[in-house]
Each structure stands twice: as C-alpha cells, then as structure tokens.
Amino acid sequence: MTVKGHEVRIGTCLLVGDIDKMIRFYRDTLGFDTEWSGGDFAEFETASGELSLFMYSREAFVQAINEGYIPPKGINQTFEIALWLPTFADVDAEYERLSKLDLRFPTGEPTTFSFGIRNFYVADPEGNLLEIGSTHES
C-alpha cells in the first residue's frame, strides 16, 4: 500500500487480557510462529511480514495511553481477523481440525457464498472473531 508516495505496511494488534492464554491459542492451536518468551508484547510472523499481527497486554496498553478499557462481552463484533487459505478444501480441512477442539464457531460449518468465498468463523479465547476462508475453489 502506498500513501502519499510512502510504502505503508498494515498491522493488526490485539489488545489482550490474558496474553499467555492468547499466545497459546495463536501459536499452539492455529500454528502461528512467534519468538515470544514472556512479557507484555508478542509478534507473530505471517506471510505479510513483520508486525502484521501482534499482541499487547491490555493492562500495559491502558497505562501507556492513560485511559480505562472495558472489553466487549461475548463475541467481539467490532472487527475480525481474516485468515486466507489457498483453497476451499483447505478451509474444510482446517474446520475439521479445529472442530475437534473446545472452540466457539458462531456461524457453524464452512459456507460457500455466491460471491465466491468459502469460510467459517471461530472465536479466540477472548471472543475476537477469526474468519478462515478462501476465494479459490481449487
């Protein structure tokens, strides 16, 4: 992405209440790579490069901005993180793998939409939505 002649990389930061639990979910359940060894900040390596997904403890963040924070209850409906897989079959395989775990799937099984996306949603331990999908049938 270019803004006013400068290349801009976009990153997503999750402000998390229980960073240990969230690291375990994204690293151990979803398979994201991280060199995190404790502390209030974690960075995950993705195909989009450094700082494309990172976490910061909510406690440290509210201290940094000198504001209070009230997390949403239940499923966080203010944003989602989309994880795009190569094919529809990969979406189905990931659903099968994750459905054997104690996770929340707000929309149930994968669905193919008329506009060409096959996806499903899973909530992370703090209720953030992850859309796992593909735009390629094969």
Side-chain angles (χ1 to χ4, degrees), residues 104-131:
R104 292 181 288 172
F105 298 91
T107 59
E109 296 180 359
T111 302
T112 303
F113 293 91
S114 60
F115 47 84
I117 291 176
R118 182 164 180 79
N119 72 3
F120 68 92
Y121 288 88
V122 61
D124 74 16
E126 293 190 1
N128 300 302
L129 280 177
L130 300 166
E131 176 184 2

Side-chain angles (χ1 to χ4, degrees), residues 84-88 116-118 133-137:
W84 296 106
L85 301 179
T87 68
F88 288 7
I117 291 176
R118 182 164 180 79
S134 180
T135 59
H136 302 285
E137 192 167 348

